[in-house]
Amino acid sequence: DEAKMLSHLASNEMWLPYAILDLQVVTSRKFNFKTFSRSISFVTFQRNLSTVGIDSGCKRPISTPSYIDNLERLGLIVTKRGLGQVDDSLYAKIEEIFVAPRRERLPASLNLQTAKGVLEITELGKEFVATCIRDKASQKN
């Protein structure tokens, strides 16, 4: 599945970033009257929600967050938080597929929010795909 994801990311000749969302539970909201600023505390409930596993044809797309963690650990992809560099409709698709069902199962008293991010294939990831995935596929033919 991870090889499928990498191959899918590398097949995009424009090297466009892929949308990811983190699901967070807001634990407190405070307003500081001295500085007139707000602070929000939260706990990340689920990281790396993305449609990249589905779009890549993974057998276990539910494991996509783990795949993303592992590929990032290996230096083959990178994730960036706080960025919305892709079309908002892609974040809406993640919200519909992954976040909405979780919201339905959790107590309404939990204040859930999402945080946007992106994932990109690294130069090492591109080389890895070219050498280890595509070369291996062409040897089988």
Side-chain angles (χ1 to χ4, degrees), residues 101-140:
R102 284 176 173 82
R103 286 185 196 274
E104 292 173 5
R105 289 190 307 250
L106 295 172
S109 61
L110 284 180
N111 185 357
L112 296 178
Q113 69 178 24
T114 57
K116 292 180 181 179
V118 294
L119 72 85
E120 299 173 315
I121 191 166
T122 63
E123 292 302 316
L124 177 62
K126 294 172 192 175
E127 290 295 321
F128 183 84
V129 169
T131 304
C132 299
I133 297 173
R134 293 202 177 125
D135 283 355
K136 211 172 209 182
S138 65
Q139 290 173 1
K140 288 181 182 179

Side-chain angles (χ1 to χ4, degrees), residues 6 19 21 34 46 53 62 70 95 104 106 108-109 115 135:
L6 275 178
L21 281 179
K34 288 183 180 178
Q46 178 72 58
I62 194 76
N70 190 46
E95 174 85 33
E104 292 173 5
L106 295 172
S109 61
D135 283 355

Side-chain angles (χ1 to χ4, degrees), residues 63-109:
S63 297
T64 297
S66 297
Y67 299 155
I68 291 171
D69 281 342
N70 190 46
L71 292 172
E72 186 167 36
R73 178 187 64 83
L74 295 170
L76 302 175
I77 64 170
V78 63
T79 61
K80 300 173 186 175
R81 301 301 193 276
L83 302 172
Q85 299 177 351
V86 298
D87 190 304
D88 279 338
S89 66
L90 299 174
Y91 292 109
K93 186 176 178 184
I94 297 169
E95 174 85 33
E96 177 187 331
I97 295 170
F98 297 106
V99 178
R102 284 176 173 82
R103 286 185 196 274
E104 292 173 5
R105 289 190 307 250
L106 295 172
S109 61

